[in-house]
Amino acid sequence: MPLRALVAGGHDVLHVVTRADKRRGRGAELSASPVKVAATELGLPVSHRVDDVLGTGAELGVVVAFGQLIKPHVLAELPMVNLHFSLLPRWRGAAPVERAILAGDTETGVCVMAVDEGLDTGGVYAVESLAIGPEETAVELRDRLVGVGTTLLLDVLARPGGIGDPAPQSGEPTYAAKVTPEDLRLDWSRPAVELARLPRVGKAWTTFRGRRLLVLEARAGDGRAEPGILDGVRVGAGEGELELVTVQPEGRSPLPAAAWRNGARPAPHERFGG
């Protein structure tokens, strides 16, 4: 975690801001963010309002996956750098890791960038590229990016004479909107190679006999089954077939696709998506 690494690296962290505690599940107790848990363990003051950093005497703010724009009056008093998980200006916005996978990108990276009033528009102090594995999930990729990005951040902060001036972003920007459930719906008219990316990002889904079926793990393959038609554990797509590996029927636990098929006993030519 970058926060722990900053403290371990000898940096004087004066205040930590993170999201408010969330209630997980009906009637459950409030749950603190991992950042708040770490800050509490480290004995650091922590709150949920960005304005609380004002007047602390801090010289630089460090932003990691905060999910909110920092208001101009805060930046006017406290310059900030952001650890952003893409090769800017590609994938500015809320979901750069997920959008890179969904787009079929084979490379991404992490930038230490200046925070300004725009959406990830600030100049870049340092960047490092990473290859995206062909079956790598968003969780796995994000974990790697956090590790690489933490090291990059510490290197930037350790520069003799200060962090210097950032280089302006160059190239055509693309935007990484938050991933919605509709983004994860399996459209069987699309090629299997595209459909196989959705489970890597989150809970991809389709419907079977009018109920939702989550596809948690799948692989693209060759085949000529009609789109949406199940052939063993392979489903026809617009091009090729999608091999189901792990699924989760509505209201049940995840299970191997073969076990689900044996229980569901789909009729010949029964179609997903209906």
Side-chain angles (χ1 to χ4, degrees), residues 18 29 40 68 81 84 106 110-111 132 165 176 236-237 247-248 257 259:
T18 184
E29 295 182 358
T40 302
Q68 299 178 28
V81 298
H84 185 80
T106 58
V110 59
C111 293
I132 302 176
D165 296 323
V247 300
Q248 184 176 2

Side-chain angles (χ1 to χ4, degrees), residues 10 12 15 25 51 58 73 82 95 101 112 115 126 152 169-170 190 211 214 232 234 243 258-259 273:
D12 189 10
H15 196 89
D51 281 24
H73 74 278
N82 178 37
I101 290 175
V112 178
V115 178
L152 193 65
Q169 295 181 29
S170 176
R190 293 171 58 188
R211 305 194 70 182
L214 300 181
R234 298 165 72 94
E243 179 186 352

Side-chain angles (χ1 to χ4, degrees), residues 203 213-217 245-260:
K203 295 180 177 179
L213 178 73
L214 300 181
V215 177
L216 305 180
E217 186 180 358
V245 178
T246 306
V247 300
Q248 184 176 2
E250 192 173 320
R252 295 179 58 188
S253 299
L255 74 165
W260 169 81

Side-chain angles (χ1 to χ4, degrees), residues 25-247:
R26 188 174 300 173
E29 295 182 358
L30 289 174
S31 175
S33 73
V35 172
K36 184 174 182 178
V37 171
T40 302
E41 291 176 354
L42 293 166
L44 302 173
V46 58
S47 67
H48 310 303
R49 295 176 62 252
V50 176
D51 281 24
D52 291 342
V53 302
L54 300 177
T56 61
E59 298 177 353
L60 183 71
V62 175
V63 180
V64 182
F66 187 56
Q68 299 178 28
L69 291 176
I70 309 298
K71 294 184 178 179
H73 74 278
V74 177
L75 295 175
E77 179 174 323
L78 182 64
M80 296 189 180
V81 298
N82 178 37
L83 206 57
H84 185 80
F85 300 136
S86 80
L87 297 174
L88 291 168
R90 185 164 178 79
W91 302 130
R92 295 173 176 172
V97 175
E98 292 83 356
R99 290 296 174 185
I101 290 175
L102 290 175
D105 292 359
T106 58
E107 182 184 49
T108 188
V110 59
C111 293
V112 178
M113 58 168 291
V115 178
D116 61 14
E117 296 178 28
L119 179 62
D120 299 324
T121 55
V124 175
Y125 292 99
V127 60
E128 187 159 342
S129 300
L130 281 79
I132 302 176
E135 296 186 0
E136 191 169 21
T137 67
V139 170
E140 293 166 342
L141 179 56
R142 187 178 293 105
D143 285 345
R144 286 205 296 133
L145 289 166
V146 168
V148 171
T150 299
T151 300
L152 193 65
L153 172 65
L154 294 176
D155 288 346
V156 169
L157 296 179
R159 289 175 177 173
I163 62 176
D165 296 323
Q169 295 181 29
S170 176
E172 187 68 25
T174 59
Y175 293 90
K178 183 179 179 180
V179 176
T180 69
E182 184 59 26
D183 291 323
L184 298 177
R185 181 180 64 86
L186 292 160
D187 177 353
W188 299 106
S189 67
R190 293 171 58 188
V193 68
E194 295 180 7
L195 296 179
R197 299 169 190 158
L198 274 64
R200 295 164 55 198
V201 165
K203 295 180 177 179
W205 62 279
T206 185
T207 54
F208 183 72
R209 295 174 182 166
R211 305 194 70 182
R212 184 169 293 205
L213 178 73
L214 300 181
V215 177
L216 305 180
E217 186 180 358
R219 289 187 290 263
D222 297 327
R224 296 185 178 180
E226 291 182 32
I229 298 295
L230 189 66
D231 178 14
V233 293
R234 298 165 72 94
V235 187
E239 182 179 323
E241 294 179 348
L242 187 71
E243 179 186 352
L244 307 181
V245 178
T246 306
V247 300

